[in-house]
Amino acid sequence: MQEELKPAEYLLGRKTFEIFESYWPKHADFWPGINDSSKYVLSQTREKSDWKNTFFLKNVGDIKKLKNSEGADIQIWGSSKLIHLLLKHDLVDELRLKIYPLILGEGKKLFERPAN
């Protein structure tokens, strides 16, 4: 688990970001560096946050610019819709999956079967 929690930059969807934003600023002792790391949020509705080092992106073009810039590795936590968007636009270099088997109704699918 310590490997996943080492400082990096983070790209998050709005919903996941709002969960993080409400929790991590007050609990950073468990995740050192989370408050100081850059957090990039893809959102059509948010433009600012009081959580330091948070930057908002509006579209895939903004993500492509971020991906092509210099800096630390960019990690995504949660944000299933964002992951689908990145896969669709070939913007994923590596996937590291941590899976906790659980069956609850239909659930979200990370990998969809292609339509015939």
Side-chain angles (χ1 to χ4, degrees):
M1 185 67 170
Q2 289 306 315
E3 179 69 21
E4 290 90 11
L5 297 181
K6 72 179 186 179
E9 293 184 343
Y10 304 95
L11 176 61
L12 304 165
R14 182 191 50 81
K15 290 178 185 177
T16 300
F17 171 75
E18 288 177 349
I19 294 167
F20 276 38
E21 177 186 39
S22 69
Y23 182 81
W24 286 114
K26 297 173 186 160
H27 299 91
D29 52 321
F30 180 75
W31 192 347
I34 188 63
N35 288 329
D36 296 321
S37 296
S38 294
K39 293 152 295 277
Y40 300 93
V41 183
L42 182 64
S43 177
Q44 299 295 314
T45 58
R46 295 273 311 257
E47 295 181 355
K48 63 180 182 169
S49 170
D50 291 334
W51 194 12
K52 68 180 179 176
N53 299 320
T54 297
F55 308 94
F56 289 89
L57 309 175
K58 291 292 182 189
N59 54 46
V60 173
D62 290 344
I63 296 171
K64 287 180 182 179
K65 288 178 194 173
L66 176 62
K67 184 179 184 324
N68 292 323
S69 67
E70 294 293 321
D73 287 345
I74 301 168
Q75 296 181 5
I76 300 169
W77 289 69
S79 305
S80 62
K81 288 182 181 180
L82 175 58
I83 291 171
H84 285 140
L85 180 70
L86 297 175
L87 289 169
K88 178 181 174 182
H89 290 276
D90 195 27
L91 293 170
V92 176
D93 294 326
E94 178 180 1
L95 288 173
R96 291 184 187 183
L97 303 175
K98 189 169 271 196
I99 299 171
Y100 299 93
L102 180 66
I103 298 174
L104 292 172
E106 294 295 315
K108 294 180 182 178
K109 295 181 176 39
L110 180 56
F111 302 108
E112 294 288 339
R113 290 189 175 170
N116 291 332

